[in-house]
Amino acid sequence: MTEHPTATWAAMPEGNVFYRRQQVYSIPGKLPDLNDYVVAGCRNGGPLAMMRDNTKLVALGRSTPAFAKAQIQVYSLAGEGLLLFSWDQGKIIKFGWTADEKLVVLNEEGVYRLYDLQGDYTQHSLGTEAAEMGIVDARIHPNGLVALTGSLLLLEVKDWEGGKPLTLASPGLTEPPHAWAIIPPDLNISRHVEVLLSVESTILAVDNLEAVDQRLSRGPFTHVSPSPNGKLLALLTFSEQLWVVSTDFQRSLADIDTSSLGGEGSVLQVEWCGNDAIIVTWSNLAVLVGPSGDTLPYMYYGAPFAVSEVDGVRVVDREVCDLIQKVPASSLSVFRPGSTSPSAILFDAWDSFTQRSAKADDNIRSIRPDLAVAVNECIDAAGREWEPYWQRRLLNAAKFGWGFLDLYDPTDFVNMGQALKVMNAVRFYDIGIPLTYSQYQYASPSHLIARLTSRNLHLLALRISSFLSLKPDVVLKHWACAKIARAKPATTGGGKDAELTADEEVCKSIVEKFEQLGNGEVSYADIAKRAWEVGKAGLATKLLDHEPRASDQVPLLLMMQEDRLALLKAVDSGDTDLVYHVLLHLHKRLPLGSFFRLIEDGGTKLAPASKLLQVYAREQNREMLRDFYYSDDRRVESAVLSLDEASQMTDPAAILTSVKAAQKFFSEDKDRGFEAKMMDENARLLAYQQQLEKESDGKITFFGLSINETLRTLLMNGMSKKADKVKSDFKVADKRFWYVKLHALTAMRDFEGLDAFARSKRSPIGYEAFVRHLLEKGHSKEATSYVIRCDSPRRVDLYVECGDWRLAGRECKERGDKAKLESLKRTCPNSLIARELEQMLGSMK
Amino acid sequence: MAPAPAPISNAPQAAQTDKHEPSINTDVLRDIGTRSLIDTLNSVNGAKTLVLDPSLAGPLGLVIEVSTLKNHGVDKMFWLEAGPLAASTTNIVYLCRPSIKHVKIIADQIKRHARESQKHLYNLFLVPRKSTVVTRILEEEGVLGDINISTYNLQFIPIADDVVSLENENAFKELWVDGDETAVYSSALALVTLQKLYGPFPRIRLATLLTRSLPEQGTLEPDPSAATAPIDSLIILDRHVDMITPLLTQLTYEGLVDEVIGIQNSHIEIPLSLLTVPNAPNPSNPSAALPSTSASNVTPVSNEKTKKHHLTPATDPLFAELRDLNFSSVGKRLNKVAHRLDEDYKARLQAKTVAQLRDFVGKLGGLQTEHQALRLHTGLSEMLVSHTRTELFNKSLEIQQNLLASYETTKQINAIEELIAQGADMQTIIRLLCLASLTTGGIKTKALESIKREILQAFGYNYLPLLLSLSAHPLSAVLPVPLPPSSDPPSKLPFAAVRKSLRLLIDDSPEAIEEVENDISYVYSGYAPISVRLVQCVAQKGGVISNPAEKAPPADGDTNGKANAEKHLRAHPILGWKGFEDTLAQIPGETVDITPKAGNVNSSPSVTSLRNDQTTTTVVFFLGGCTYTEIAALRWVSRQNRGRKFLIATTSIISGKSLIDSIAGADSRTKETSR
């Protein structure tokens, strides 16, 4: 029988808190002596990466490998070697793990690589500045890193996309800090990373805005370690005092002298166990320090290595891999010796039931009101147990309990069953991911699947995702990529044909698998890209044919230099940004001539692309646009472009040249005779305006005015002869000329001139226009004098509008329109006029 | 209106007072805009200088207030303009549309700072999404490494309770003059967002030349929780299908205000005297308007004497009442309101007891608000009246009506020439010219050339590119007859036939007056917008054939039985273009009727929901902008039907003037001002 869960428990000397040390794997002889290595552990039961520590001496004679080159080894927690690669770049400063289990390796030149568990990597750099100064230290958190440069500045990298590093506020250091740590952005209120540096006797808190001195006097510190939730900080002083404080340094929580705990030599690590306890390790010993300062010692063989988890701490030494955690509340409730909690009684009841004891019934009755709670607790406790034996027993107890409930929603039960199946599968030593229930919840099932695929465990990942009814496309995609990468390179003898058939086979198998499992929702583009990257262009093209989404096809097509196809697909997608992407890319790569030919040959299909190119070029690259129009014989567009340029120039000579160029372009197109003529006129006008300006010694600006404005300006300046010349030179319509002159003269209040003008010949616009315009400008007196020249039936009303009632009356009288006169009388504004009108009425009789 | 409540909180009440409450709450969209802007700003730590694209100021003013910006670390604000930028904070945040012009300015400023060795952190937020062109230009200018590029996804902004707009004023020009289809794509994205919010569109109907519109509809995954979609259909109208309507002078109150004074992002600029009252505080604090420079919000520049006023029915119930009326009846309505107000004031005299007096004092605030609104609208109406009295206005109106009726078309061309001589402004002339060409199917080459010549001589030769763009192929707004042989024949609108089949023109004869007020044509005093008629073809078929509001004409029997039983016709379910296929064939462009895959929507919710007596909403999207008048007409349609409301979505609100201005392009305008 499997040993009782409480066998692994240990109580803190004072108080009721229990901690358990769960031996997860026994790994004798699988790992080297950790004391000689620099180790980095990944959270959530991820693997360990280790590199020989060059600062430590090595005893010769043992079967030590040659350390000529730096080598990094990656082991799963079950001691299985996952990856081994050697490092050929500058000295490694730091390595650590990202959230998606990639190993980040940073060297002194500021270059960092992200290795996946298959040994493929992407490389980024912190920039030339960092390379010059050199990197002396770094801290890596799951979503970024902070590096300390040789000039003691801090550089932050966010996400792992290779973005430009951000320089944090200068801490003003003169020597490297004694110890330092970072609080990741997602754990800070400000959502920006915070760096804690132990400098002299204090701590500097640095973010991207400022460096704040926390004004402590207990330092310097040898270890700075923030808790997994970023709220607390464990600090170890040189005098081996462990001090726990909140990260804002407002609350001091514990203060323990660790030198009395029995450790030999110096402290190796200060790590958190969950969020409320700290583990301090020495060679051969790890001491757990509880929240109230109580301690629990655990013995280890050789140097242990501790990795903080959200719900505990993993400790690995040469023999075992342990998980030390506070006993979860539900387990405590069920299994604590002497527990009388409902769940404990339920468990007991079920135990009695299986032994056919009547005690079961009594037990159930005694906890009737709390049965639902007890059932839930049993389910939860099942999730916390490591051994399937106990998991099953607890779930059975829960099932037994809910049989006595009237209504019970079994969702939790089902979910827990599923979760346990999955967790037990991945905890298996071959897989080596000892995930706890909290971690599984915290990191999500899809994350777990990603971790499995990155270990090339596709079948298990696929089974798990279908078991949890997750979409299988992630797994399929990864599988396909792996398959392509592993597919045998074309057999040497067979030549092209063999390659083709090999591609055909791979493609077929991938497509088959996708259609069978993926519901047609898997994107082929990524896989095709992968195929292209490993040099299988033929396969890539084949795969890409299966991709339905244009936006995914285009970048790859470009990469494969399938220019025309890429452009076509981009245009088809309707996404203009995609079209731009292709256009700009091609513009850069192709010679201009063939670039234009590509677009022109596309005809109507590529018309939108051509239009977009014109829009872009009009703003950014006019030279290119000119060439484009020229090469395509687009005279009209060329002319418009010239005019557009003219409108942005200030130099008159240059404008004139542009206008003439436009005229030339228009004249080359037989359909554009009118436009050519107009531009000719325009050029003539501009030349004449230049002449006018010269004549007026530049006092009056004419250049660029329209003909109407030119006329007006001339008239306003008393140059009516010139105005007449313009009128005849440019064949200005009579009517328009009259209106312009009318408006100009009125604006100048040159009423005599206006009168002379009105008399010069019979007005082509009639005289009512005169009256109306003068009225509009408020010259009613002058307006009145023109009424007499208007058509007689309109005169009365016009007089009224001019406000001259008397004349209006007289007009009525002359025309003998009595009715009108009477209506005038009714509407007139005052009695004086009314009386006069009355008189007129009288005289008409 | 002393304790002026925030317009947002007030909106729901206004929606209730409004007779037709929409079944969709558009405020969600504004909240999304506000929240994502705040998130965007917060992603930059510490105090920051905000540099804003002027064309975004208006739309942003509708979603956020300056004080909110200040609360989120915005220290100072500047326009994005060429020239040096004096920023006092380390963080500089640029917020702009991804246009090449803007990016170049940004690059210049960064380079200038580098020369002056100023250290800043630059963040560029592009609205609504990233663009390769921007990155490319920044790269070419050598500053890409210095700037963080990210996005602020501003999409539909509600500008009334039933109107949402992308506020992208250049959409029509980009589409039809430049051939830049970015607007289509961003509209599609915005419509997808709408779907995510309100559930999938069961049916999509397009009347557009752009058959590739809405490219990713197929790939969309509907949110299962929104299966009971209140939206029964999406109708997309391409502005190019109905070019005529925006060219006409709008005759509703709001439309005319837009024509005469100009409404920019729901704000109008009017003389200060209309807004301030000696002893009352400002009616609505225009804090929604972003300041023109960093601090000029507090006091408007004194010599200008104008002030921005936010025209919204939310704070101004009188406006809600007036906006959709034909202008001719606005005066009457104002008069009525004035009378009522007077009566209410007089109630004071009847107040005998203290209790009555207290009642009156309680009402006083409301009365004063109303008084203030009345003052504003009377003032506005006066401005409009003086405009409508001018000879040019009436002549252009007359030409419009004659052209619509195809009455002596050649004479109308001469009349346009006359207007040029009289000095009418460029936009009016171009509008009339386009209208003439569109309604007659082209102008005789000789007449056209002479009128073009007049235009160029009167307004300047720099308008030649405008004339060329208008007659260029996809737009084809001004065409000669006969066409030059080399050009490909454009799709022409057989206006006369469409006028007949869609009953566009309602006779102005005395016996038809009753009818005029009972048809959407009231908005243009006798002409029904094609666009709205097309919507009616789908959503209110009876309204196209004859008048639904008329008292039971015995023409179509079965619908009438219902009409008698109920006050209004029950809206019929959306059935596509059925019955109007012939008409649609006449209109250029293809029509599309998509019912997304059956798997997405369980059968047809529109039918089932109608039976449940539930109000459904039909989304009408205008690609390329719509006018206030069309909105008014659609509201009218929606009042005639029980059970169907319209949500009007558009790329922007346009008028003929803004349309012509945008086609003329910025170039000619800068030329005007620079000289």
Side-chain angles (χ1 to χ4, degrees):
Chain A
M1 186 179 142
T2 321
E3 65 181 1
H4 194 267
T6 48
T8 58
W9 293 13
M12 281 280 176
E14 303 156 36
N16 276 331
V17 189
F18 288 85
Y19 282 82
R20 71 177 180 196
R21 174 194 186 178
Q22 183 82 46
Q23 183 180 331
V24 183
Y25 300 114
S26 163
I27 45 170
K30 286 190 171 170
L31 296 183
D33 184 358
L34 298 178
N35 207 15
D36 295 340
Y37 283 82
V38 183
V39 189
C42 181
R43 282 213 173 145
N44 296 330
L48 295 177
M50 51 188 84
M51 182 184 76
R52 176 79 180 85
D53 187 350
N54 292 330
T55 60
K56 302 242 168 93
L57 293 175
V58 187
L60 276 176
R62 267 193 284 160
S63 58
T64 38
F67 293 125
K69 264 194 276 179
Q71 253 189 356
I72 292 183
Q73 291 154 290
V74 178
Y75 293 95
S76 81
L77 285 179
E80 301 293 326
L82 291 176
L83 184 63
L84 171 77
F85 60 91
S86 34
W87 183 259
D88 48 2
Q89 301 247 327
K91 188 182 149 216
I92 294 175
I93 294 298
K94 194 82 187 174
F95 52 91
W97 294 91
T98 69
D100 51 356
E101 263 187 343
K102 283 188 175 151
L103 182 65
V104 187
V105 186
L106 173 73
N107 75 2
E108 59 183 354
E109 290 154 5
V111 174
Y112 61 98
R113 284 181 180 174
L114 294 160
Y115 282 90
D116 67 13
L117 290 177
Q118 302 308 314
D120 296 325
Y121 63 86
T122 48
Q123 180 169 321
H124 302 292
S125 161
L126 293 176
T128 48
E129 225 171 307
E132 280 163 23
M133 293 185 290
I135 303 295
V136 294
D137 203 356
R139 291 290 179 267
I140 295 168
H141 66 89
N143 294 309
L145 65 82
V146 175
L148 184 67
T149 66
S151 51
L152 299 177
L153 286 173
L154 294 163
L155 294 176
E156 187 202 353
V157 174
K158 284 184 203 168
D159 306 324
W160 299 108
E161 308 287 331
K164 185 176 173 272
L166 186 74
T167 311
L168 300 184
S170 168
L173 299 182
T174 49
E175 52 176 355
H178 301 286
W180 61 297
I182 53 176
I183 301 177
D186 47 343
L187 301 178
N188 265 328
I189 308 167
S190 65
R191 297 291 167 215
H192 293 272
V193 75
E194 186 171 316
V195 183
L196 302 163
L197 301 160
S198 161
V199 180
E200 288 166 4
S201 68
T202 184
I203 294 264
L204 283 181
V206 182
D207 61 12
N208 60 352
L209 292 178
E210 52 182 359
V212 180
D213 188 345
Q214 298 293 346
R215 300 188 185 281
L216 308 177
S217 53
R218 305 188 48 168
F221 303 98
T222 57
H223 288 85
V224 179
S225 169
S227 67
N229 65 5
K231 295 225 163 62
L232 302 174
L233 201 59
L235 298 162
L236 191 72
T237 65
F238 272 92
S239 55
E240 304 210 336
Q241 279 283 332
L242 180 69
W243 182 34
V244 184
V245 67
S246 63
T247 39
D248 55 3
F249 298 93
Q250 297 300 314
R251 283 182 306 134
S252 181
L253 294 157
D255 210 339
I256 301 129
D257 183 7
T258 59
S259 56
S260 61
L261 293 176
E264 288 170 27
S266 58
V267 171
L268 296 176
Q269 274 183 298
V270 175
E271 288 291 338
W272 284 81
C273 167
N275 285 314
D276 57 358
I278 295 159
I279 196 157
V280 186
T281 64
W282 289 267
S283 205
N284 298 330
L285 178 70
V287 175
L288 188 73
V289 182
S292 51
D294 301 338
T295 56
L296 268 179
Y298 293 106
M299 304 307 285
Y300 282 94
Y301 177 64
F305 181 76
V307 185
S308 275
E309 296 278 8
V310 282
D311 58 344
V313 63
R314 261 172 230 294
V315 184
V316 184
D317 76 348
R318 291 170 65 179
E319 297 286 323
V320 291
C321 167
D322 283 350
L323 175 72
I324 298 175
Q325 65 176 167
K326 191 177 172 183
V327 175
S330 54
S331 303
L332 196 64
S333 170
V334 180
F335 292 123
R336 199 173 83 172
S339 170
T340 53
S341 70
S343 47
I345 294 173
L346 174 63
F347 188 71
D348 193 35
W350 176 75
D351 211 23
S352 317
F353 177 72
T354 49
Q355 289 160 22
R356 300 167 184 267
S357 154
K359 222 176 106 199
D361 189 46
D362 288 349
N363 277 345
I364 286 287
R365 276 176 202 285
S366 69
I367 55 165
R368 229 345 173 346
D370 301 322
L371 196 53
V373 179
V375 169
N376 285 338
E377 221 159 31
C378 278
I379 293 173
D380 191 63
R384 313 290 171 173
E385 277 317 309
W386 210 257
E387 291 298 333
Y389 172 78
W390 289 101
Q391 291 165 0
R392 199 171 294 128
R393 284 177 69 94
L394 283 162
L395 286 180
N396 275 331
K399 204 163 81 183
F400 171 69
W402 109 52
F404 292 89
L405 288 170
D406 295 335
L407 276 171
Y408 186 77
D409 177 9
T411 319
D412 286 350
F413 183 85
V414 174
N415 286 348
M416 181 58 82
Q418 279 186 339
L420 281 174
K421 264 195 164 177
V422 172
M423 283 194 298
N424 288 338
V426 299
R427 281 171 186 169
F428 186 60
Y429 74 92
D430 245 2
I431 315 290
I433 306 179
L435 208 57
T436 66
Y437 184 62
S438 321
Q439 290 160 14
Y440 174 72
Q441 297 289 59
Y442 180 78
S444 86
S446 54
H447 184 244
L448 177 63
I449 285 169
R451 290 171 65 175
L452 289 175
T453 52
S454 72
R455 285 169 169 78
N456 269 357
L457 299 167
H458 295 115
L459 183 61
L460 180 62
L462 192 65
R463 291 269 158 82
I464 289 179
S465 42
S466 61
F467 179 62
L468 296 175
S469 31
L470 295 172
K471 282 195 176 170
D473 50 343
V474 193
V475 183
L476 286 174
K477 213 185 266 180
H478 195 279
W479 167 79
C481 291
K483 180 155 185 89
I484 290 165
R486 296 284 160 84
K488 287 215 178 68
T491 40
T492 42
K496 253 224 136 88
D497 284 348
E499 194 180 332
L500 267 175
T501 46
D503 282 352
E504 198 79 52
E505 255 167 52
V506 175
C507 178
K508 210 173 125 198
S509 68
I510 289 176
V511 172
E512 248 170 40
K513 193 72 95 189
F514 276 22
E515 277 167 5
Q516 187 188 334
L517 297 165
N519 298 330
E521 284 171 10
V522 195
S523 161
Y524 285 89
D526 297 345
I527 304 156
K529 184 165 178 219
R530 179 79 192 158
W532 168 253
E533 277 167 2
V534 298
K536 292 180 179 155
L539 181 57
T541 333
K542 280 199 186 73
L543 286 170
L544 213 51
D545 284 342
H546 294 277
E547 171 60 50
R549 270 185 294 260
S551 53
D552 292 346
Q553 287 175 312
V554 169
L556 186 57
L557 285 170
L558 270 186
M559 218 187 287
M560 293 163 64
Q561 311 218 339
E562 297 273 354
D563 305 333
R564 213 185 109 76
L565 196 59
L567 197 54
L568 264 178
K569 295 271 183 198
V571 169
D572 277 349
S573 77
D575 181 352
T576 45
D577 198 48
L578 201 61
V579 181
Y580 270 132
H581 178 85
V582 178
L583 283 175
L584 295 178
H585 186 96
L586 293 180
H587 178 221
K588 212 174 216 156
R589 209 186 62 212
L590 297 176
L592 207 56
S594 40
F595 177 54
F596 289 158
R597 215 169 311 125
L598 177 74
I599 294 170
E600 284 156 20
D601 292 350
T604 47
K605 267 192 182 159
L606 290 184
S610 154
K611 287 276 172 68
L612 282 178
L613 182 69
Q614 292 171 39
V615 171
Y616 164 77
R618 204 167 294 141
E619 298 273 358
Q620 180 67 5
N621 196 341
R622 280 172 178 268
E623 206 53 49
M624 174 174 79
L625 189 60
R626 230 192 313 268
D627 292 346
F628 180 66
Y629 286 149
Y630 192 78
S631 75
D632 201 18
D633 281 341
R634 301 198 191 183
R635 303 277 184 255
V636 180
E637 278 90 342
S638 297
V640 172
L641 187 65
S642 263
L643 284 179
D644 191 35
E645 272 162 20
S647 74
Q648 285 168 6
M649 296 176 188
T650 47
D651 176 32
I655 293 178
L656 205 52
T657 323
S658 291
V659 170
K660 281 186 175 151
Q663 191 266 334
K664 191 161 174 294
F665 280 125
F666 279 128
S667 65
E668 283 165 12
D669 188 332
K670 64 177 168 33
D671 286 342
R672 298 295 170 184
F674 169 72
E675 281 80 2
K677 211 167 83 197
M678 285 297 108
M679 281 305 107
D680 186 44
E681 263 188 35
N682 191 3
R684 271 199 297 137
L685 176 68
L686 290 172
Y688 186 62
Q689 284 170 336
Q690 262 180 318
Q691 191 195 331
L692 283 174
E693 278 187 9
K694 220 174 279 163
E695 281 170 22
S696 67
D697 292 332
K699 279 184 198 129
I700 313 166
T701 34
F702 284 103
F703 196 76
L705 297 182
S706 70
I707 287 188
N708 273 15
E709 287 164 328
T710 312
L711 286 172
R712 188 178 164 88
T713 314
L714 285 169
L715 290 166
M716 296 282 276
N717 289 290
M719 299 150 90
S720 59
K721 280 271 159 51
K722 293 250 160 61
D724 289 340
K725 181 175 155 45
V726 170
K727 175 177 180 290
S728 63
D729 278 3
F730 293 94
K731 300 196 186 86
V732 175
D734 247 0
K735 283 185 178 178
R736 187 148 51 84
F737 182 75
W738 273 69
Y739 272 111
V740 170
K741 193 155 180 178
L742 165 67
H743 293 179
L745 290 173
T746 317
M748 286 165 70
R749 298 169 156 272
D750 182 2
F751 298 117
E752 281 171 34
L754 186 62
D755 195 48
F757 173 56
R759 286 166 199 282
S760 64
K761 66 182 218 185
R762 199 181 142 68
S763 161
I765 55 173
Y767 292 95
E768 197 176 324
F770 279 70
V771 179
R772 293 226 176 266
H773 185 71
L774 285 167
L775 273 177
E776 206 174 293
K777 300 288 168 198
H779 307 296
S780 52
K781 194 167 138 279
E782 286 76 13
T784 321
S785 61
Y786 291 95
V787 175
I788 193 73
R789 299 193 207 178
C790 299
D791 292 343
S792 49
R794 300 278 301 129
R795 282 183 207 156
V796 180
D797 289 336
L798 288 173
Y799 274 131
V800 169
E801 276 181 55
C802 295
D804 200 328
W805 295 85
R806 199 168 301 129
L807 283 176
R810 199 168 299 157
E811 185 67 35
C812 285
K813 194 177 156 193
E814 278 168 24
R815 294 175 50 209
D817 192 345
K818 207 163 152 191
K820 187 80 187 173
L821 196 55
E822 268 174 4
S823 79
L824 278 184
K825 203 187 90 191
R826 273 199 302 283
T827 50
C828 72
N830 58 45
S831 54
L832 205 68
I833 293 167
R835 209 173 310 135
E836 263 185 66
L837 291 173
E838 181 71 53
Q839 274 175 8
M840 279 184 207
L841 255 177
S843 66
M844 270 177 84
K845 273 176 194 160
Chain B
M1 187 158 179
I8 294 169
S9 66
N10 212 10
Q13 296 161 17
Q16 277 158 24
T17 54
D18 208 351
K19 200 177 126 205
H20 46 108
E21 46 197 287
S23 50
I24 276 184
N25 185 7
T26 50
D27 282 342
V28 183
L29 290 167
R30 180 180 305 139
D31 291 349
I32 289 175
T34 314
R35 226 175 320 126
S36 65
L37 181 59
I38 290 172
D39 288 349
T40 306
L41 288 174
N42 284 355
S43 67
V44 179
N45 205 8
K48 53 219 144 215
T49 304
L50 182 66
V51 187
L52 200 61
D53 171 357
S55 75
L56 275 178
L60 282 183
L62 294 173
V63 294
I64 204 160
E65 296 185 9
V66 178
S67 55
T68 323
L69 289 179
K70 304 244 163 181
N71 288 344
H72 290 91
V74 174
D75 183 43
K76 271 192 178 160
M77 286 195 282
F78 295 100
W79 290 137
L80 180 57
E81 283 165 339
L85 175 74
S88 51
T89 58
T90 348
N91 287 311
I92 296 179
V93 176
Y94 290 101
L95 192 62
C96 72
R97 293 199 196 272
S99 79
I100 295 163
K101 195 177 70 198
H102 291 144
V103 180
K104 281 181 144 177
I105 297 174
I106 294 171
D108 268 357
Q109 291 180 343
I110 295 177
K111 280 192 279 190
R112 198 185 297 253
H113 283 164
R115 272 201 303 280
E116 292 164 1
S117 60
Q118 289 188 43
K119 268 274 185 183
H120 291 293
L121 293 173
Y122 303 97
N123 291 281
L124 171 61
F125 292 108
L126 292 170
V127 180
R129 62 191 193 117
K130 271 190 199 179
S131 140
T132 321
V133 183
V134 170
T135 6
R136 175 65 177 275
I137 290 170
L138 289 174
E139 193 185 330
E140 278 173 10
E141 302 279 341
V143 293
L144 184 60
D146 300 323
I147 193 160
N148 279 322
I149 305 179
S150 167
T151 60
Y152 166 46
N153 196 351
L154 182 71
Q155 293 180 332
F156 280 124
I157 304 168
I159 53 175
D161 46 12
D162 54 353
V163 184
V164 292
S165 165
L166 289 173
E167 298 292 270
N168 178 6
E169 283 155 21
N170 285 328
F172 185 82
K173 185 226 173 190
E174 283 170 13
L175 281 173
W176 290 103
V177 180
D178 296 344
D180 179 350
E181 293 177 4
T182 313
V184 181
Y185 194 75
S186 48
S187 305
L189 293 181
L191 286 172
V192 170
T193 313
L194 217 56
Q195 279 197 327
K196 281 189 189 139
L197 280 177
Y198 301 121
F201 304 124
R203 255 184 131 143
I204 297 156
R205 206 151 281 103
L206 297 157
T208 170
L209 285 170
L210 301 165
T211 47
R212 283 177 292 110
S213 187
L214 290 187
E216 69 275 46
Q217 284 293 352
T219 64
L220 190 101
E221 273 185 53
D223 180 5
S225 66
T228 53
I231 296 180
D232 63 358
S233 176
L234 164 69
I235 301 172
I236 301 177
L237 284 166
D238 190 328
R239 184 74 269 171
H240 195 246
V241 168
D242 177 14
M243 288 274 291
I244 292 177
T245 306
L247 294 173
L248 300 172
T249 307
Q250 307 180 55
L251 292 176
T252 58
Y253 181 63
E254 194 173 16
L256 207 56
V257 171
D258 190 22
E259 294 273 337
V260 177
I261 300 165
I263 303 180
Q264 278 272 321
N265 310 111
S266 316
H267 286 77
I268 49 171
E269 209 157 303
I270 45 175
L272 199 58
S273 55
L274 281 180
L275 286 175
T276 43
V277 196
N279 49 7
N282 273 350
S284 77
N285 193 352
S287 53
L290 289 159
S292 54
T293 46
S294 48
S296 77
N297 190 27
V298 193
T299 47
V301 193
S302 54
N303 56 3
E304 270 189 329
K305 289 266 181 167
T306 61
K307 189 161 186 177
K308 277 202 166 177
H309 174 70
H310 189 183
L311 262 191
T312 162
T315 50
D316 185 352
L318 182 58
F319 178 62
E321 220 175 293
L322 291 175
R323 58 181 177 184
D324 297 336
L325 291 180
N326 188 309
F327 185 65
S328 60
S329 44
V330 166
K332 240 185 282 169
R333 184 66 65 96
L334 282 173
N335 199 349
K336 222 158 66 188
V337 174
H339 268 292
R340 201 193 61 223
L341 207 57
D342 192 42
E343 297 279 301
D344 287 348
Y345 271 124
K346 273 182 189 148
R348 172 192 50 175
L349 301 174
Q350 281 131 35
K352 299 246 165 57
T353 67
V354 176
Q356 277 171 342
L357 209 56
R358 197 190 52 208
D359 273 359
F360 177 76
V361 172
K363 275 193 288 182
L364 206 55
L367 286 180
Q368 272 169 356
T369 315
E370 230 175 316
H371 191 163
Q372 176 54 32
L374 187 65
R375 183 196 308 271
L376 170 70
H377 290 293
T378 321
L380 278 177
S381 305
E382 264 171 33
M383 289 170 75
L384 298 185
V385 165
S386 67
H387 182 81
T388 53
R389 290 250 173 91
T390 59
E391 199 187 343
L392 289 179
F393 179 86
N394 285 316
K395 267 206 181 149
S396 83
L397 213 57
E398 186 188 326
I399 297 173
Q400 285 172 16
Q401 299 283 4
N402 288 341
L403 283 172
L404 288 175
S406 303
Y407 172 75
E408 295 188 324
T409 41
T410 39
K411 264 198 186 157
Q412 305 314 321
I413 309 272
N414 293 338
I416 297 174
E417 237 178 292
E418 184 99 342
L419 277 184
I420 300 175
Q422 288 184 12
D425 55 4
M426 185 271 295
Q427 290 88 352
T428 317
I429 300 297
I430 302 285
R431 278 164 84 167
L432 290 172
L433 183 63
C434 294
L435 188 65
S437 168
L438 287 169
T439 51
T440 57
I443 302 170
K444 291 219 176 60
T445 312
K446 208 168 158 213
L448 183 63
E449 284 194 357
S450 112
I451 208 163
K452 275 187 184 170
R453 206 180 104 96
E454 287 290 298
I455 290 171
L456 293 177
Q457 287 207 346
F459 304 113
Y461 291 102
N462 47 339
Y463 286 105
L464 185 66
L466 167 65
L467 292 177
L468 285 169
S469 333
L470 285 175
S471 52
H473 172 51
L475 188 59
S476 311
V478 176
L479 288 176
V481 172
L483 282 166
S486 59
S487 63
D488 29 342
S491 45
K492 266 196 228 165
L493 177 76
F495 180 72
V498 173
R499 183 177 58 208
K500 188 151 169 277
S501 55
L502 287 181
R503 223 168 49 93
L504 293 181
L505 219 55
I506 306 294
D507 261 345
D508 232 350
S509 58
E511 62 266 30
I513 278 181
E514 184 71 14
E515 193 182 17
V516 168
E517 286 180 356
N518 282 326
D519 186 82
I520 56 164
S521 57
Y522 85 93
V523 295
Y524 282 110
S525 295
Y527 161 77
I530 299 181
S531 52
V532 183
R533 276 283 193 249
L534 285 176
V535 173
Q536 281 185 306
C537 281
V538 179
Q540 191 203 14
K541 294 186 194 294
V544 185
I545 304 159
S546 69
N547 221 308
E550 266 175 49
K551 298 262 154 51
D556 37 10
D558 57 340
T559 45
N560 266 315
K562 282 183 217 158
N564 289 337
E566 302 170 328
K567 198 181 163 218
H568 288 306
L569 277 175
R570 183 94 192 97
H572 56 75
I574 298 284
L575 289 174
W577 302 111
K578 213 161 162 283
F580 293 94
E581 290 89 348
D582 296 348
T583 317
L584 287 163
Q586 293 170 339
I587 292 175
E590 296 171 41
T591 58
V592 182
D593 188 347
I594 308 167
T595 312
K597 279 170 282 173
N600 285 359
V601 188
N602 5 337
S603 72
S604 171
S606 62
V607 180
T608 48
S609 58
L610 274 171
R611 278 196 209 107
N612 299 343
D613 212 43
Q614 182 194 341
T615 300
T616 58
T617 302
T618 303
V619 180
V620 181
F621 178 68
F622 288 88
L623 181 66
C626 74
T627 61
Y628 282 112
T629 314
E630 283 165 314
I631 294 173
L634 280 173
R635 282 180 185 144
W636 184 90
V637 174
S638 131
R639 277 196 297 272
Q640 300 310 309
N641 281 332
R642 272 192 329 113
R644 174 166 301 121
K645 301 291 168 208
F646 287 101
L647 175 69
I648 300 149
T650 174
T651 47
S652 67
I653 305 281
I654 54 165
S655 66
K657 195 169 166 202
S658 69
L659 200 64
I660 302 293
D661 274 343
S662 75
I663 297 173
D667 297 324
S668 49
R669 258 177 288 162
T670 48
K671 183 166 185 174
E672 270 171 39
T673 50
S674 67
R675 299 205 182 253

